[in-house]
Amino acid sequence: MITFNQVSKRYSSGFEALKQVSFELEKGEMAFLTGHSGAGKSTLLKLIAAIERPNSGSVLVNNQNVSALKRAALPYLRRNLGIIFQDHKLLFDRNVFDNVLLPLQICGFDHRESSKRVRAALDKVGLLKREKTNPIALSGGEQQRLCIARAIVNRPSILLADEPTGNLDAEYAQEIMNIFKSFHQVGVTLLISTHDAGVLRDNQIRVIALKQGEIQTSTATPISDEQHVEQTCLPTHPATEENEPA
Amino acid sequence: MMHALAQKFSTLLIAFRRIFASPVAGILNILVIGIALSLPTGMYLLLQNAQGLVAQISGAPQISLFLAMDTTQEEAGKLRKQLGQHNRIANAEFISRGLALEKLKESTGLEDVIAGLGNNPLPDAYIITPKQTDAKSLEDLRNELQRLPAVEHAQLDSAWAYKMEALLEFARIAVLILASLLSLGLIAITFNTIRLQILTQDDEIQVSGLIGATDAFIRRPFLYFGAMQGLIGGIAAWLIIAISLLFLKAPLATLSQLYASNFTLHPLSMADSFSLLLFSVYLGWLGAWLSVGRHLSRMAH
Ligand SMILES: Nc1ncnc2c1ncn2[C@@H]1O[C@H](COP(=O)(O)OP(=O)(O)O)[C@@H](O)[C@H]1O
Ligand SMILES: [Mg+2]
């Protein structure tokens, strides 16, 4: 689903943020991307969404070389990705509902269908009662969940999350991890960056560790993940399984 | 289809709300656009009216050919043949000096004076109707006829109308230049309004791009805004002209009566009104397009 081949990224400042990075993430797989601040986690995620372009090597998403995509093709790549940005990128000129609505407006969904989907996504992250609130009035954990709702409302097959538990205390962090696991269970491919060792401890989940732009360790995919590969074709999605009308 | 329409409509509503989000700025913008458009349009309208007036007064252009008094029968016959065969003359009507005197008596009522003259002072003459009636060919033809041996004097009857026409042409070009300059101004106004809007909505544009918005999606509300502002500005211009005409109507009627003419000021025709609105919409749209385009290309580095 996601393949990095000898990918290097040097910023225009001359700093080499990624060096010869290679790894593969299977369809339906869930992995943590770890490393200290500055290790290159955000850069790696940005390369997947073609927000940044590599200087060498190739990034394949769904067998498509995204590093070679034309600018006009980028929107259609990004619509298949759910992205949770490290700096949230919420819009404070509109309420919670309208923040989640934006991806659907971009794809041109009609009003009724999009309202239904927005509510389903908000329900999934437990923010249904806050739909009229301005995100500025939400707590850190709620803002993070709002980001998740916006990322999944389009039902993407790949979810990228950049330090989604960054500034949250353990309880909130666990809550968010549970949400991600539920996506994993229905076959969504997830790559979650974190520098929080605590989340990793009790998980059997694959870890891709970055150190100064290089892959240090990449634990093998646990066998148990094989079954999830099968599930990726299921029509149900965590964002809607409860609210979809029969 | 219905859904696409509904979506366009809601984008349109958003654009409309944005224009009047800060009412003072919105109204000022529209006023500026309206005035800037009404100036050249109003002048164009006046020109059109003046042109109609000139055409109405001058009629078809003719050249009067007065023959020398001492023209012989033979020379006169040769001239008649020449005029008859000339390929740039549509018609040559002969007016004998006797007939000319009769006409003079009739038209001036100076019968006694003319009778007192004793012998007829008028020469034989031809009234020439040329085929080509543009100023240049008329002047050429007049010069050519003037050089004929039997001709004493060749006179272009509607010379003043052609001078007027030349003047109008000059004014028309002046209006065109004015219109072009003001159009550029309008594009600049929209460009700047949109630029300011983009600044306040930079977050939305950035985020939209990151989560899969096409350039077209990002452009659309701004284009609608520009076009809408242009449309309302165009309507303002139309109203300014209509109201000005209303004010001009009464004094013009008096003037027209004094000159015993039935001249009335024509308002903007339907077609011209439509063109005005279309043009102002286009200018607003273009200003917006340039502004967003610049921003998008900057975003792509
Ligand atoms: N746009 C940029 N221009 C220059 N250097 C950058 C840019 N973005 C990130 N970097 C540098 O690249 C390195 C990796 O950054 P990043 O991928 O954000 O790391 P992480 O997300 O793991 O903290 C850092 O040293 C950072 O300073
Ligand atoms: Mg980062």
Side-chain angles (χ1 to χ4, degrees):
Chain A
M1 199 75 170
I2 298 174
T3 310
F4 273 58
N5 274 323
Q6 303 287 317
V7 175
S8 296
K9 170 65 187 177
R10 189 171 45 247
Y11 282 108
S12 49
S13 63
F15 187 86
E16 197 158 30
L18 290 179
K19 298 162 196 157
Q20 303 285 317
V21 169
S22 297
F23 72 92
E24 193 165 345
L25 202 63
E26 299 289 336
K27 198 169 186 181
E29 201 175 355
M30 176 174 177
F32 285 122
L33 183 63
T34 65
H36 292 299
S37 179
K41 305 182 294 294
S42 297
T43 303
L44 190 150
L45 293 177
K46 283 176 185 166
L47 288 173
I48 297 173
I51 296 167
E52 295 286 354
R53 306 275 189 152
N55 295 90
S56 64
S58 61
V59 178
L60 303 182
V61 175
N62 258 331
N63 295 322
Q64 197 177 26
N65 187 351
V66 302
S67 40
L69 277 185
K70 290 223 173 63
R71 185 174 136 71
L74 294 184
Y76 306 99
L77 163 72
R78 291 178 187 163
R79 287 176 196 184
N80 282 324
L81 305 173
I83 310 175
I84 294 150
F85 300 95
Q86 186 166 7
D87 56 353
H88 294 187
K89 296 200 185 300
L90 293 172
L91 296 174
F92 297 116
D93 65 349
R94 62 197 71 192
N95 63 26
V96 163
F97 185 95
D98 288 339
N99 265 276
V100 181
L101 183 64
L102 186 63
L104 300 178
Q105 286 176 321
I106 285 170
C107 295
F109 279 91
D110 75 52
H111 186 69
R112 278 189 50 207
E113 173 68 12
S114 35
S115 302
K116 219 166 59 188
R117 284 199 181 201
V118 169
R119 297 228 160 78
L122 285 175
D123 190 36
K124 179 72 198 168
V125 299
L127 283 178
L128 195 50
K129 291 204 180 69
R130 310 297 302 270
E131 65 173 47
K132 294 269 185 337
T133 315
N134 187 295
I136 205 128
L138 297 180
S139 71
E142 286 171 327
Q143 286 194 0
Q144 198 55 261
R145 283 185 277 148
L146 175 55
C147 292
I148 297 175
R150 186 180 64 187
I152 58 162
V153 72
N154 221 358
R155 301 177 188 172
S157 52
I158 299 173
L159 203 56
L160 308 173
D162 199 354
E163 306 211 19
T165 57
N167 302 311
L168 304 179
D169 54 41
E171 194 185 338
Y172 274 142
Q174 194 51 53
E175 206 174 282
I176 299 236
M177 279 307 158
N178 289 339
I179 295 175
F180 284 137
K181 276 186 203 151
S182 70
F183 293 133
H184 178 47
Q185 274 155 20
V186 293
V188 177
T189 309
L190 291 107
L191 187 56
I192 302 159
S193 91
T194 177
H195 65 243
D196 178 4
V199 240
L200 310 175
R201 205 170 299 133
D202 56 5
N203 286 311
Q204 293 202 322
I205 291 165
R206 178 177 171 191
V207 173
I208 300 169
L210 277 177
K211 190 175 185 184
Q212 289 169 3
E214 287 177 290
I215 291 206
Q216 203 178 28
T217 51
S218 175
T219 59
T221 308
I223 312 263
S224 66
D225 271 352
E226 298 258 311
Q227 67 209 58
H228 299 308
V229 177
E230 309 290 314
Q231 287 175 7
T232 52
C233 299
L234 289 181
T236 53
H237 186 282
T240 51
E241 61 193 355
E242 287 126 33
N243 285 35
E244 193 91 284
Chain B
M1 181 65 199
M2 279 312 290
H3 151 60
L5 269 182
Q7 212 178 22
K8 294 239 157 65
F9 186 70
S10 74
T11 316
L12 210 63
L13 270 182
I14 291 170
F16 192 74
R17 261 189 246 126
R18 278 185 193 167
I19 293 179
F20 295 105
S22 52
V24 177
I27 288 172
L28 279 180
N29 263 340
I30 284 163
L31 206 63
V32 168
I33 295 175
I35 292 170
L37 279 171
S38 67
L39 274 176
T41 313
M43 285 168 75
Y44 162 80
L45 190 63
L46 289 180
L47 270 181
Q48 229 183 14
N49 275 292
Q51 207 172 2
L53 194 63
V54 169
Q56 184 187 329
I57 295 173
S58 62
Q62 291 178 326
I63 296 173
S64 302
L65 229 52
F66 300 105
L67 305 192
M69 287 297 210
D70 55 2
T71 308
T72 61
Q73 283 287 331
E74 194 186 341
E75 281 171 328
K78 213 170 128 195
L79 181 65
R80 182 196 314 273
K81 217 163 147 193
Q82 259 178 326
L83 293 178
Q85 289 169 351
H86 199 290
N87 58 0
R88 282 159 62 197
I89 292 177
N91 184 38
E93 183 192 355
F94 181 70
I95 314 261
S96 71
R97 36 192 312 224
L99 185 59
L101 192 66
E102 288 302 314
K103 278 195 172 176
L104 192 64
K105 279 183 191 163
E106 269 171 42
S107 66
T108 57
L110 298 174
E111 239 166 298
D112 298 339
V113 181
I114 291 165
L117 281 177
N119 60 351
N120 182 357
L122 297 176
D124 283 336
Y126 279 97
I127 305 278
I128 308 285
T129 309
K131 279 181 184 159
Q132 284 119 2
T133 58
D134 58 291
K136 169 95 173 66
S137 14
L138 280 175
E139 194 56 36
D140 285 352
L141 183 61
R142 192 202 75 84
N143 290 339
E144 186 189 333
L145 295 177
Q146 175 75 70
R147 282 195 296 273
L148 293 175
V151 174
E152 175 80 30
H153 183 60
Q155 183 181 331
L156 201 51
D157 288 341
S158 36
W160 72 270
Y162 282 91
K163 282 180 191 149
M164 192 68 182
E165 183 73 44
L167 204 65
L168 287 180
E169 180 63 24
F170 175 80
R172 213 173 292 138
I173 289 170
V175 169
L176 208 66
I177 292 172
L178 184 72
S180 314
L181 288 176
L182 288 172
S183 302
L184 280 180
L186 291 197
I187 294 174
I189 288 172
T190 323
F191 186 94
N192 199 44
T193 320
I194 300 284
R195 195 181 60 83
L196 293 174
Q197 266 194 26
I198 288 173
L199 285 183
T200 65
Q201 280 169 273
D202 198 35
D203 282 351
E204 179 179 357
I205 294 173
Q206 296 274 351
V207 173
S208 299
L210 288 176
I211 61 180
T214 57
D215 284 354
F217 178 87
I218 291 171
R219 254 195 206 111
R220 197 182 299 137
F222 295 108
L223 292 183
Y224 282 17
F225 177 96
M228 183 90 103
Q229 187 176 262
L231 178 68
I232 301 176
I235 293 172
W238 192 90
L239 286 174
I240 289 173
I241 290 171
I243 292 169
S244 305
L245 284 187
L246 225 57
F247 279 114
L248 285 174
K249 205 170 181 170
L252 202 74
T254 323
L255 208 65
S256 169
Q257 237 168 14
L258 286 177
Y259 283 90
S261 109
N262 57 352
F263 178 71
T264 52
L265 209 49
H266 293 288
L268 271 184
S269 66
M270 278 287 269
D272 284 343
S273 305
F274 188 70
S275 305
L276 169 68
L277 294 184
L278 208 66
F279 188 61
S280 57
V281 166
Y282 175 71
L283 287 182
W285 182 89
L286 186 63
W289 196 83
L290 291 173
S291 196
V292 193
R294 191 185 73 135
H295 186 77
L296 286 174
S297 70
R298 277 190 171 187
M299 255 174 36
H301 312 306

